Amino acid sequence: MTESTLAPITLPPYDWTTIAADLDREGWARLPRILHPVDCALIADLYDQQGPFRSHVHMARHGFGQGEYRYFAYPLPDPVQALRAALYGWLAPIANRWHERMDLTSRFPEDHAAFLGRCHAAGQRRPTPLLLQYGPNDYNCLHQDLYGEQVFPLQVAVLLSRPARDFTGGEFVLTEQRPRMQSRPIVVPLEQGDGVVFAVNQRPQRGTRGDYRVVMRHGVSKVHSGKRHTLGIIFHDAA
């Protein structure tokens, strides 16, 4: 299957007020059935093609874990581009509110193209959406996707494979580090086509003396069997 067979993608009618509340409370929120199973399979099938991608990374070579991923090249496949632009439009107001609460000066424009212009002016011109592939015993170490000075504080991962059918194990994991406290682990339950939006680096948390910053990281636990594909949508580009 080729990129040309991919159909246009539109977002389901999510309750973004609830999603924003979940993000404020937990630092993550589920986006159920953001992709249809057919679209999941078509996007996963792109992995073995060369044309859509700019680079291929084997995690073990860099100490990132085990498994591999490919960064898409510009122009992005239409469904990836559509998801990236549409999600940004809903998430930018949340990102701006987070930055205000964390006393960070940068604010984000309504339009994703305008934000990418800011990234490119700062020397961050390489696209960051990616496809990840895991096999048995593969995993992804806890990390943050920071690629330069310009950072959008939210990102999205979409599970393209079917848990318990295409693979076992391989849970999406978050950790939360609050000041002077031990890290809290979070396992996010996902089905095929579900997305999760989560904090890239820091998020605000309401405390008795106002807001403070919580540091978050994400990863994937060990895959026990089968093959697991994920679409990652990062909104800032890389230097």
Side-chain angles (χ1 to χ4, degrees):
M1 297 181 183
T2 66
E3 181 183 338
S4 62
T5 65
L6 294 168
I9 299 292
T10 57
L11 292 181
Y14 293 126
D15 180 346
W16 287 96
T17 300
T18 298
I19 289 171
D22 289 343
L23 285 166
D24 286 345
R25 185 179 60 254
E26 299 290 343
W28 65 274
R30 286 181 66 244
L31 302 173
R33 293 297 295 269
I34 193 170
L35 287 178
H36 187 277
V38 171
D39 296 314
C40 290
L42 290 171
I43 293 173
D45 283 348
L46 294 176
Y47 194 85
D48 293 325
Q49 301 179 31
Q50 297 298 320
F53 302 101
R54 66 173 176 84
S55 66
H56 186 183
V57 177
H58 293 270
M59 297 186 199
R61 294 177 184 172
H62 306 277
F64 297 162
Q66 289 186 188
E68 56 187 74
Y69 53 86
R70 292 179 182 267
Y71 285 108
F72 285 104
Y74 279 135
L76 300 176
D78 289 344
V80 179
Q81 171 62 30
L83 279 179
R84 199 185 193 202
L87 286 166
Y88 177 91
W90 288 103
L91 295 174
I94 301 172
N96 282 328
R97 190 174 68 252
W98 276 18
H99 269 215
E100 181 178 0
R101 291 175 58 188
M102 292 189 292
D103 292 324
L104 298 172
T105 58
S106 61
R107 298 293 183 268
F108 302 97
E110 295 180 0
D111 180 67
H112 187 235
F115 175 62
L116 287 182
R118 184 187 301 175
C119 291
H120 296 175
Q124 295 174 218
R125 298 184 177 89
R126 296 185 297 164
T128 49
L130 69 165
L131 269 183
L132 301 100
Q133 177 174 274
Y134 304 87
N137 298 313
D138 288 348
Y139 62 94
N140 197 344
C141 295
L142 293 169
H143 65 283
Q144 299 171 321
D145 291 312
L146 305 172
Y147 296 100
E149 180 180 303
Q150 298 295 322
V151 176
F152 190 77
L154 294 157
Q155 68 188 79
V156 175
V158 183
L159 181 61
L160 303 178
S161 305
R162 299 170 297 176
R165 297 182 66 181
D166 296 328
F167 71 97
T168 61
E171 295 90 355
F172 183 83
V173 179
L174 293 163
T175 62
E176 173 189 85
Q177 178 62 64
R178 300 187 182 190
R180 298 177 298 281
M181 297 178 67
Q182 294 184 345
S183 296
R184 180 170 75 107
I186 304 159
V187 175
V188 178
L190 296 174
E191 296 296 330
Q192 184 186 37
D194 288 352
V196 54
V197 53
F198 56 97
V200 172
N201 178 12
Q202 297 179 325
R203 70 174 181 91
Q205 175 68 43
R206 192 78 66 189
T208 57
R209 300 180 180 178
D211 288 312
Y212 60 92
R213 300 181 189 182
V214 172
V215 176
M216 300 194 72
R217 292 178 171 82
H218 65 280
V220 173
S221 68
K222 185 170 73 172
V223 173
H224 300 309
S225 64
K227 187 175 288 187
R228 180 189 192 277
H229 286 98
T230 306
L231 170 65
I233 300 177
I234 300 160
F235 298 97
H236 45 272
D237 277 351

